[in-house]
Amino acid sequence: MLNIHKLSISFQGDYLFQDISFRLLQGDKVGLIGKNGAGKSTLLKILAGEVEFDSGQLASEKELKIGFLKQDIDFEYGKTILEETYQAFTEIKAIESKIHDVNDQLAERTDYDSKTYHDLMVDLNELQHQYEMLGGYNYKGETEKILQGLGFKRNEFDKLTDTFSGGWRMRIELAKLLLQGNDILLLDEPTNHLDIESIIWLENFLKNYQGAVVIVSHDKMFLDKVTNRTIEISLGRIYDYNKPYSKYLILRDEIRQQQLASQKNQQKQIEQTEKLIDKFRAKASKASMAQSLIKKLDRIERIEVDADDNSVMRITFPVSVQPGKVVLEMNDISKQYDELQVLDHVDLMIERSSKIAFVGQNGQGKSTLAKIMVGEIEHGGELKYGHNVQIGYFAQNQVDYLDGNKTVLDTMIDAANEKNRVKVRDILGAFLFSGEDVDKYVKVLSGGERNRLALAKLLLQPFNVLIMDEPTNHLDIQSKNVLKEALKRFDGTLILVSHDRDFLQGLTNTVYEFKDRQIKEYLGDIEFFLEQRSLQNLREAEKKTVLKETTIKKSNKQSYEDQKKLKSLQNKLSKTEAQISELENELKAIDLQLEINYDETAKDPGFFNSYQEKKDELKNLMDNWAKIAGRIEDIN
């Protein structure tokens, strides 16, 4: 499908990657991994044709369709969910517009016998044929089906996209990609801002996807469930194995150990040969043997060991002072945005050293409650802090909390106090900001670098309660592992808003699910929560089955009058469907006749009136069919 050969790209003289080659085949599910700044997003942009490369070749099959889901999605303001999703059908929408224009022209004209009118009719026929071939009569139904599958309710279709959170907008973009029927999907951190249910849905969708997929993700569990191949970018090279992420790590480590053992054996042989050369050089009779050994040594292909980028963050979150037993108490907490009620009379008490996860669908109030806890937004109800409580807060959207016009160093110095200002450079070094990195402006930092800076900034303030909203977004897998270990060692109270199942595993012991403006407590870790939710879903499914069976039984006991009405309506529906089919065939025959011999057909003065009457009749039949179907549904 796509062939990448000796591809290279550099920035300001330094190669991001050089001479990399690989092929993408149908059915490949590739996890593209590497540290922040390794070039993963850049490679996706090159594959999507959005960024030019310095050298190499990119060859693809003819008419290959590539869909690209970026980290940051730009929506035009003022579009509804349906209008935005319809953007997937650019060709259909263009033909739809042309058909509308031609119909407008035909409606204004009365010169039915003219060549111009005839040409318009021919154009209309051709456009309608193209429209049908592209699925123009089905795309609206397909769109609604996909949106409902992604969790949108029918009554939300006409709401503006800018009223939805980032996770829901991501679903709209996924719907567009699904509807486009692409051959290759390029997904840059698709699980960022998606809730756990949506991530599980996306896993199932991608597993069944027929084309090729390339995913940049730092979600280990997601990669393991979806991918069958891993490509790692490290220090400008790539490592490509037909294994999902966790199996790839094991395999790559085994290969590296083999390389080290082979290199060690080779080095011993080289040292022995060099000793012989030195020994034979001293004797004239052995000089030819020494020369022969030197030539042999020159011909040896030295074994190289794959280089590893082992630079990682060094994090420790110290507890400032010991707080009281209860750190936070919330009574009757409510929050409303305009007409949208997010939280409604929520009660919650958090004790010292609790390890809590907030989970649930996007827009259910997790981040809102976190912001209420840190006093960032107004709310209804009562919030009380315990004795000696000091809160550290890591916000989900670091762009809003960091000044893009400041350098990394200035950001830290401005946040420091007299006591810790001297430690700023040491802290930045621990978070992989060294040398010239500290003079970079925040606005040019990648998402992962901004997260690291925000984490570094946290260490400049004292806290014993740490509230973190999606801290793993944009962090590479190694950085996530380091952060997780640091949080395990943290002795204070921890509240995590996260959808990263792997990150949450073993980190929290209580889960609060946000749903329908309320919260529900699960006394266990994320695995326990997921197990309980699966059981609940099964119980709900069983209830629905029982309800369905009950409904069937009730329908069997319908009154004689209802059964009589139903039979009559079903007969009418069948009859109407037959009439619609017959009339559609008649109109197709007339359209064909017009196309073949327009002049002869149009001679009949009553032809166009008759033609229009048939069209009107078809419309009336369609309307009638919808009414009958609706009445049948009401009785059922």
Side-chain angles (χ1 to χ4, degrees), residues 264-320:
K264 194 175 179 180
N265 289 333
Q266 188 185 62
Q267 192 58 38
K268 280 183 183 177
Q269 291 173 2
I270 289 168
E271 286 170 4
Q272 288 171 355
T273 305
E274 285 173 342
K275 282 179 184 176
L276 285 172
I277 290 168
D278 291 339
K279 187 178 178 182
F280 291 159
R281 268 179 179 156
K283 298 177 182 178
S285 60
K286 303 285 186 179
S288 60
M289 288 182 70
Q291 288 300 316
S292 176
L293 286 171
I294 289 168
K295 286 177 183 176
K296 181 183 175 184
L297 204 60
D298 289 340
R299 286 196 298 270
I300 291 176
E301 190 175 330
R302 306 294 170 115
I303 294 169
E304 290 185 1
V305 177
D306 293 337
D308 264 347
D309 187 352
N310 293 313
S311 56
V312 293
M313 294 189 296
R314 303 185 303 280
I315 311 176
T316 300
F317 295 115
V319 174
S320 54

Side-chain angles (χ1 to χ4, degrees), residues 310-350:
N310 293 313
S311 56
V312 293
M313 294 189 296
R314 303 185 303 280
I315 311 176
T316 300
F317 295 115
V319 174
S320 54
V321 291
Q322 183 83 330
K325 187 180 178 184
V326 175
V327 294
L328 277 171
E329 192 171 354
M330 285 163 275
N331 297 309
D332 209 24
I333 295 291
S334 296
K335 180 62 185 175
Q336 188 169 337
Y337 295 101
D338 296 325
E339 295 178 4
L340 178 65
Q341 187 80 33
V342 180
L343 298 169
D344 191 15
H345 303 295
V346 169
D347 296 325
L348 179 62
M349 187 179 75
I350 297 172

Side-chain angles (χ1 to χ4, degrees), residues 548-563:
K548 193 175 178 184
E549 287 171 358
T550 308
T551 307
I552 290 167
K553 284 174 185 175
K554 281 183 181 177
S555 69
N556 290 337
K557 294 177 182 178
Q558 281 175 334
S559 69
Y560 174 73
E561 196 63 37
D562 279 348
Q563 289 182 38

Side-chain angles (χ1 to χ4, degrees), residues 395-620:
Q396 182 181 148
N397 190 355
Q398 292 306 320
V399 179
D400 296 338
Y401 291 84
L402 298 171
D403 187 344
N405 294 316
K406 285 184 182 179
T407 65
V408 169
L409 185 59
D410 288 341
T411 298
M412 291 290 285
I413 288 172
D414 291 347
N417 56 39
E418 289 180 8
K419 289 182 180 178
N420 57 28
R421 194 164 286 129
V422 293
K423 298 179 181 176
V424 160
R425 284 187 179 271
D426 290 338
I427 293 171
L428 283 173
F431 284 84
L432 306 182
F433 291 104
S434 57
E436 295 177 358
D437 292 339
V438 300
D439 296 319
K440 284 182 179 179
Y441 282 97
V442 171
K443 61 187 173 187
V444 303
L445 299 179
S446 69
E449 287 170 328
R450 281 183 189 156
N451 271 25
R452 293 209 312 268
L453 178 57
L455 288 169
K457 195 177 164 189
L458 257 182
L459 297 185
L460 296 172
Q461 66 178 98
F463 57 82
N464 46 34
V465 176
L466 183 53
I467 300 173
M468 308 188 89
D469 192 355
E470 298 290 357
T472 60
N473 279 356
H474 308 296
L475 282 184
D476 58 59
I477 292 172
Q478 275 184 291
S479 299
K480 275 168 59 173
N481 291 340
V482 171
L483 175 60
K484 183 173 179 176
E485 290 306 311
L487 291 175
K488 279 183 180 177
R489 296 192 301 270
F490 179 56
D491 290 329
T493 305
L494 178 64
I495 299 164
L496 284 171
V497 180
S498 179
H499 302 305
D500 191 326
R501 293 159 294 172
D502 181 73
F503 182 73
L504 288 174
Q505 271 181 352
L507 201 49
T508 61
N509 50 32
T510 306
V511 175
Y512 284 99
E513 182 189 21
F514 286 64
K515 192 174 182 181
D516 298 329
R517 301 179 296 281
Q518 296 293 318
I519 60 174
K520 183 177 179 181
E521 184 182 52
Y522 292 81
L523 295 173
D525 62 6
I526 191 66
E527 284 185 4
F528 173 76
F529 162 73
L530 289 172
E531 284 169 9
Q532 293 299 307
R533 287 292 282 118
S534 296
L535 287 171
Q536 282 177 33
N537 289 341
L538 281 172
R539 282 197 289 270
E540 283 170 19
E542 285 168 6
K543 283 179 189 174
K544 284 176 185 174
T545 306
V546 171
L547 185 65
K548 193 175 178 184
E549 287 171 358
T550 308
T551 307
I552 290 167
K553 284 174 185 175
K554 281 183 181 177
S555 69
N556 290 337
K557 294 177 182 178
Q558 281 175 334
S559 69
Y560 174 73
E561 196 63 37
D562 279 348
Q563 289 182 38
K564 197 174 171 183
K565 276 183 192 173
L566 193 61
K567 192 171 182 182
S568 173
L569 287 168
Q570 284 169 341
N571 287 337
K572 281 183 184 177
L573 195 71
S574 299
K575 188 178 177 182
T576 307
E577 283 172 354
Q579 287 173 317
I580 287 168
S581 178
E582 188 180 340
L583 203 51
E584 280 178 337
N585 288 334
E586 281 182 37
L587 285 167
K588 277 184 185 177
I590 294 169
D591 287 337
L592 185 63
Q593 193 179 336
L594 274 171
E595 194 174 347
I596 296 168
N597 195 351
Y598 177 83
D599 294 332
E600 281 296 319
T601 308
K603 274 183 183 178
D604 181 359
F607 169 76
F608 284 105
N609 286 334
S610 172
Y611 182 66
Q612 190 58 47
E613 281 172 9
K614 286 183 187 293
K615 281 195 159 187
D616 292 340
E617 188 184 346
L618 180 61
K619 185 180 180 302
N620 290 334

